[in-house]
């Protein structure tokens, strides 16, 4: 499997991935659901093709101290999932939208809830050679960020599964924190689009 950054982030692979992804579009008609979007940031770190993750602040009310992607619920100015993902990435990481090369949208995931279900649309974007130390983290939301190389994320020795309630999720090990739950499911789906020979570990509920 070719994992060098010059191939993964090169024009040929970018165009292949963009052709498979949904083009940026307006929010779907499912207005009765809470709608959210996350950015799956691709970058070059230490000369390797990587994915950027955030560790949520310990002061948050929900999902505190868990690994995630930058993102959140839509707000009134947001007309598309891309707009939401880019706005949230700038708010959480100080990452200007102008630095993100958006490749497209992954299928929307539905998150069941006994009170009100929600949807999350992952957006894949390449942010280039960003020095993690230069990001301006919003400490109210993000405790820290870290990057994991693709070669580590696809290593079978570092991949597991876990069951939570009735759902089975992939688990990615080897980083400062394990990647699991919805973040791992989105990552697994993203890797299946980014890497031609990658076999996805999970199934997701799609709209």
């Amino acid at each position: 499997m070719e994992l060098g950054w010059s191939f993964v982030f090169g024009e040929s692979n970018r165009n292949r991935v963009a052709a498979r992804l949904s083009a940026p579009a307006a929010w779907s008609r499912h207005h009765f659901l809470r709608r959210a979007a996350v950015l799956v940031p691709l970058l070059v770190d230490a000369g390797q093709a990587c994915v950027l993750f955030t560790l949520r602040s310990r002061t948050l009310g929900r999902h505190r101290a868990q690994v995630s992607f930058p993102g959140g619920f839509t707000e009134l100015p947001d007309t598309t999932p891309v707009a939401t993902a880019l706005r949230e990435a700038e708010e959480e990481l100080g990452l200007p939208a102008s630095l993100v090369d958006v490749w497209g949208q992954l299928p929307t995931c539905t998150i069941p809830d006994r009170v009100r279900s929600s949807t999350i649309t992952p957006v894949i974007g390449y942010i280039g050679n960003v020095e993690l130390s230069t990001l301006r983290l919003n400490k109210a939301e993000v405790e820290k960020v870290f990057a994991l190389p693709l070669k580590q994320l696809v290593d079978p020795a570092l991949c597991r599964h876990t069951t939570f309630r009735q759902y089975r999720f992939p688990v990615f090990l080897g980083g400062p924190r394990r990647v699991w739950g919805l973040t791992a499911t989105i990552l697994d789906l993203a890797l299946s689009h980014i890497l031609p020979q990658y076999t996805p570990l999970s199934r997701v509920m799609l709209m």
Side-chain angles (χ1 to χ4, degrees), residues 13-195:
N13 194 53
R14 182 206 184 281
N15 292 340
R16 181 192 64 81
V17 175
R20 292 189 63 196
L21 296 172
S22 301
W27 283 107
S28 73
R29 65 186 182 280
H30 303 284
H31 60 278
F32 53 90
L33 300 176
R34 295 185 302 170
R35 299 175 298 185
V38 298
L39 179 66
V40 181
L42 310 177
L43 75 159
V44 179
D45 185 59
Q48 299 187 78
C50 298
V51 179
L52 179 70
F53 300 89
T54 67
L55 183 65
R56 290 169 59 85
S57 171
R58 298 175 186 274
T59 63
L60 291 172
R62 299 184 65 186
H63 309 299
R64 62 174 64 93
Q66 292 189 13
V67 175
S68 65
F69 291 118
F73 288 111
T74 182
E75 296 183 0
L76 286 177
D78 303 334
T79 57
T80 67
V82 169
T84 299
L86 295 183
R87 175 183 54 75
E88 287 284 342
E90 185 158 10
E91 290 178 3
E92 294 181 16
L93 309 179
L95 181 68
S98 59
L99 294 184
V100 184
D101 175 24
V102 174
W103 289 14
Q105 300 174 187
L106 289 166
T108 294
C109 305
T110 301
I111 313 301
D113 187 271
R114 283 174 294 182
V115 178
R116 186 183 180 189
S117 297
S118 59
T119 67
I120 298 183
T121 303
V123 175
I124 295 180
Y126 175 56
I127 63 175
N129 294 272
V130 172
E131 291 289 340
L132 302 188
S133 61
T134 65
L135 295 173
R136 304 187 309 278
L137 305 186
N138 179 350
K139 290 296 187 176
E141 297 187 55
V142 178
E143 183 173 312
K144 68 177 182 178
V145 296
F146 61 93
L148 295 180
L150 293 183
K151 71 176 184 180
Q152 178 176 311
L153 294 172
V154 301
D155 184 348
L158 298 175
C159 297
R160 301 286 190 276
H161 284 91
T162 189
T163 301
F164 179 69
R165 295 175 182 169
Q166 72 268 40
Y167 305 109
R168 192 166 187 252
F169 296 104
V171 179
F172 297 86
L173 306 175
R177 294 292 183 95
R178 67 173 182 165
V179 182
W180 76 291
L182 181 61
T183 300
T185 300
I186 291 173
L187 172 63
D188 190 44
L189 184 60
L191 292 174
S192 71
H193 284 73
I194 297 165
L195 302 174

